[in-house]
Amino acid sequence: GARMAALGLALPTLDALSAGDAAALVRDLAALAGADGRTSVLDWAVQRIVRRRLAPKLGGPVRPARLRTLDEVEVDLLDVLSTLAWAGTSDPVVAQAALAAALPALGVTKPWRLLPRDRLSVTRLDAALDRLDGAVPPVKARVVEACAATVLYDGRVLPPEAELLRAIALSLGVPVPPIVGGEAGEASEGAA
């Protein structure tokens, strides 16, 4: 948890980078993440958060918020929530229950079926978050609230869950909700 908190503290310093330095940092982070042949949750989260923070310097398109309802982002939200549900367990029953815990935060009354673990990927998660970033702020806030409910379902917060939650919230420009695990010493990040 301390790694993501430290990243949060370091983010404002990125604002001082030139466009060239920003592009070099993004390239270097990608090279570091791929150096061992696999991308960890932390690798992905750091890259995602840094890319979003540096997007204005990198010439990324500024898209106005156009998605106004949760129905418009349901498919993408299922990808994100399924990824979070699987981050806390390898048991499909527990993962399904974690997903179900998010639905009240969304006002959803019909059950959603958890996506199989083998259908999820970093590429899909990035694409889903890119689309969710096009939602209006109230929708984004509900998305992050649902993500927190998924993570907190079992009363404990594992480091991969906390890292994913923080990356998702920061990717959407929403403050990270304070979450505390149910076991001693498992406190994780507070608001960004």
Side-chain angles (χ1 to χ4, degrees):
R3 299 178 296 193
M4 292 304 286
L7 175 62
L9 292 172
L11 286 176
T13 63
L14 298 179
D15 298 339
L17 293 177
S18 68
D21 288 342
L25 176 61
V26 169
R27 281 191 309 272
D28 291 346
L29 287 173
L32 285 170
D36 62 359
R38 66 176 199 78
T39 302
S40 71
V41 171
L42 180 64
D43 293 337
W44 171 83
V46 168
Q47 288 183 83
R48 176 97 193 158
I49 292 165
V50 169
R51 277 193 324 263
R52 186 178 199 284
R53 183 70 179 228
L54 294 175
K57 292 183 180 294
L58 299 173
V62 176
R63 291 179 230 135
R66 67 192 180 290
L67 304 172
R68 303 200 174 282
T69 68
L70 285 168
D71 290 340
E72 294 175 280
V73 295
E74 186 175 311
V75 171
D76 302 307
L77 188 51
L78 181 59
D79 272 325
V80 171
L81 293 175
S82 291
T83 300
L84 273 171
W86 282 113
T89 185
S90 59
D91 182 340
V93 173
V94 174
Q96 179 64 51
L99 172 66
L103 300 182
L106 301 171
V108 173
T109 56
K110 293 183 179 180
W112 285 7
R113 178 170 285 162
L114 180 73
L115 294 176
R117 180 177 242 152
D118 62 354
R119 280 196 48 203
L120 302 172
S121 69
V122 169
T123 304
R124 276 183 74 137
L125 183 59
D126 270 332
L129 288 170
D130 286 343
R131 285 188 294 273
L132 285 167
D133 200 26
V136 294
V139 170
K140 289 181 184 183
R142 288 184 65 197
V143 166
V144 172
E145 183 182 337
C147 289
T150 301
V151 167
L152 291 169
Y153 162 73
D154 58 4
R156 61 188 176 93
V157 180
L158 300 175
E161 293 173 306
E163 290 167 356
L164 274 172
L165 178 60
R166 188 168 196 69
I168 290 165
L170 292 174
S171 290
L172 299 177
V174 176
V176 181
I179 54 175
V180 178
E183 296 176 12
E186 284 196 18
S188 77
E189 291 82 83

